[in-house]
Protein backbone atom coordinates (compact mmCIF):
# COMPACT_ATOMS: atom_id res chain seq x y z
CA UNK A 1 0.00 0.00 0.00
CA UNK A 2 1.00 3.60 -0.44
CA UNK A 3 2.92 5.06 2.49
CA UNK A 4 4.20 8.59 2.96
CA UNK A 5 6.54 9.47 5.83
CA UNK A 6 7.42 13.11 6.49
CA UNK A 7 10.39 14.36 8.47
CA UNK A 8 12.37 17.54 9.06
CA UNK A 9 9.97 19.70 11.02
CA UNK A 10 10.91 21.58 14.16
CA UNK A 11 11.17 24.92 15.92
CA UNK A 12 12.90 27.73 14.04
CA UNK A 13 13.25 31.46 14.54
CA UNK A 14 11.66 33.93 12.11
CA UNK A 15 13.84 34.26 9.02
CA UNK A 16 15.24 30.78 9.46
CA UNK A 17 15.13 27.75 7.19
CA UNK A 18 13.98 24.15 7.31
CA UNK A 19 13.92 21.34 4.78
CA UNK A 20 11.07 18.85 4.94
CA UNK A 21 11.34 15.41 3.40
CA UNK A 22 8.66 12.93 2.42
CA UNK A 23 9.67 9.35 1.67
CA UNK A 24 7.15 7.50 -0.48
CA UNK A 25 6.64 3.78 -1.00
CA UNK A 26 4.07 1.49 -2.58
CA UNK A 27 3.65 3.54 -5.76
CA UNK A 28 5.37 4.31 -9.06
CA UNK A 29 6.79 7.46 -7.59
CA UNK A 30 8.30 8.98 -10.72
CA UNK A 31 4.93 8.95 -12.50
CA UNK A 32 3.03 10.84 -9.78
CA UNK A 33 2.65 14.50 -8.99
CA UNK A 34 3.42 15.17 -5.33
CA UNK A 35 1.95 17.82 -3.06
CA UNK A 36 2.75 19.56 0.20
CA UNK A 37 -0.18 20.84 2.27
CA UNK A 38 -0.25 22.56 5.64
CA UNK A 39 -2.80 23.11 8.35
CA UNK A 40 -2.50 25.79 10.98
CA UNK A 41 -4.50 25.66 14.23
CA UNK A 42 -8.09 26.65 13.62
CA UNK A 43 -7.62 26.88 9.86
CA UNK A 44 -8.42 24.69 6.90
CA UNK A 45 -5.76 22.59 5.26
CA UNK A 46 -4.20 24.46 2.33
CA UNK A 47 -2.11 23.43 -0.66
CA UNK A 48 1.39 24.85 -0.40
CA UNK A 49 3.30 23.41 -3.35
CA UNK A 50 3.03 20.86 -6.14
CA UNK A 51 5.61 19.16 -8.32
CA UNK A 52 4.51 17.18 -11.36
CA UNK A 53 6.10 14.00 -12.69
CA UNK A 54 7.98 16.11 -15.23
CA UNK A 55 9.28 18.47 -12.56
CA UNK A 56 7.01 21.45 -13.10
CA UNK A 57 6.21 23.28 -9.90
CA UNK A 58 3.45 25.47 -8.52
CA UNK A 59 3.20 27.40 -5.26
CA UNK A 60 0.67 29.15 -3.10
CA UNK A 61 1.04 32.92 -3.33
CA UNK A 62 1.91 33.08 0.37
CA UNK A 63 5.10 31.02 -0.10
CA UNK A 64 6.28 32.02 -3.58
CA UNK A 65 9.90 33.08 -3.60
CA UNK A 66 10.52 31.52 -0.17
CA UNK A 67 9.70 27.81 -0.56
CA UNK A 68 11.06 25.36 -3.13
CA UNK A 69 9.63 21.92 -3.85
CA UNK A 70 11.85 19.28 -5.44
CA UNK A 71 11.94 15.54 -5.95
CA UNK A 72 14.45 12.69 -6.16
CA UNK A 73 13.03 9.86 -8.25
CA UNK A 74 15.86 7.53 -7.22
CA UNK A 75 15.19 7.97 -3.50
CA UNK A 76 11.39 8.22 -3.99
CA UNK A 77 11.45 11.37 -1.91
CA UNK A 78 9.95 14.82 -2.26
CA UNK A 79 11.38 17.82 -0.45
CA UNK A 80 10.19 21.23 0.64
CA UNK A 81 12.94 23.75 1.25
CA UNK A 82 11.54 26.59 3.34
CA UNK A 83 13.52 29.82 3.63
CA UNK A 84 12.61 33.15 5.17
CA UNK A 85 10.17 31.48 7.53
CA UNK A 86 7.50 33.62 9.17
CA UNK A 87 5.36 32.99 12.25
CA UNK A 88 2.36 32.55 9.94
CA UNK A 89 4.10 29.52 8.39
CA UNK A 90 3.54 27.68 11.66
CA UNK A 91 1.48 24.58 10.85
CA UNK A 92 1.52 20.84 10.48
CA UNK A 93 2.89 20.06 7.03
CA UNK A 94 1.60 17.05 5.12
CA UNK A 95 2.82 15.21 2.06
CA UNK A 96 0.04 14.06 -0.29
CA UNK A 97 -0.32 12.05 -3.49
CA UNK A 98 -3.26 10.95 -5.59
CA UNK A 99 -3.14 7.38 -6.90
CA UNK A 100 -6.00 5.76 -8.83
CA UNK A 101 -8.45 8.48 -7.72
CA UNK A 102 -7.52 7.97 -4.07
CA UNK A 103 -5.65 10.52 -2.00
CA UNK A 104 -2.95 9.37 0.39
CA UNK A 105 -1.52 11.45 3.23
CA UNK A 106 1.46 11.25 5.50
CA UNK A 107 1.21 11.64 9.26
CA UNK A 108 2.42 15.24 9.12
CA UNK A 109 5.37 17.09 10.62
CA UNK A 110 5.08 20.13 12.88
CA UNK A 111 6.77 23.36 11.87
CA UNK A 112 6.82 26.13 14.47
CA UNK A 113 8.25 29.56 13.69
CA UNK A 114 8.76 31.56 16.83
CA UNK A 115 11.34 33.68 18.61
Amino acid sequence: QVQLVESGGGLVQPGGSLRLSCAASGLSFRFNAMNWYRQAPGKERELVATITSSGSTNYADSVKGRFTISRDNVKNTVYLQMNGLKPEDTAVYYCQVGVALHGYWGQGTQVTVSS
Side-chain angles (χ1 to χ4, degrees):
Q1 69 276 23
V2 176
Q3 289 191 326
L4 303 172
V5 179
E6 301 99 334
S7 61
L11 173 64
V12 63
Q13 292 187 343
S17 298
L18 283 174
R19 189 176 81 153
L20 306 183
S21 300
C22 171
S25 60
L27 74 165
S28 298
F29 179 81
R30 67 184 184 276
F31 296 123
N32 288 98
M34 299 296 297
N35 304 299
W36 283 101
Y37 283 78
R38 68 185 180 186
Q39 187 166 20
K43 295 188 176 181
E44 293 187 355
R45 195 171 293 189
E46 65 170 340
L47 179 62
V48 174
T50 297
I51 185 165
T52 68
S53 58
S54 63
S56 298
T57 59
N58 197 33
Y59 299 92
D61 287 343
S62 57
V63 306
K64 278 181 183 176
R66 299 187 298 122
F67 290 11
T68 302
I69 188 171
S70 61
R71 64 190 300 156
D72 185 330
N73 290 338
V74 174
K75 295 182 178 179
N76 285 4
T77 300
V78 61
Y79 303 98
L80 187 67
Q81 178 67 45
M82 305 185 295
N83 300 327
L85 283 161
K86 305 175 181 180
E88 51 264 42
D89 295 318
T90 295
V92 179
Y93 284 72
Y94 298 91
C95 181
Q96 190 269 351
V97 64
V99 179
L101 302 181
H102 184 88
Y104 294 89
W105 298 84
Q107 82 287 353
T109 186
Q110 176 71 47
V111 172
T112 302
V113 184
S114 175
S115 55

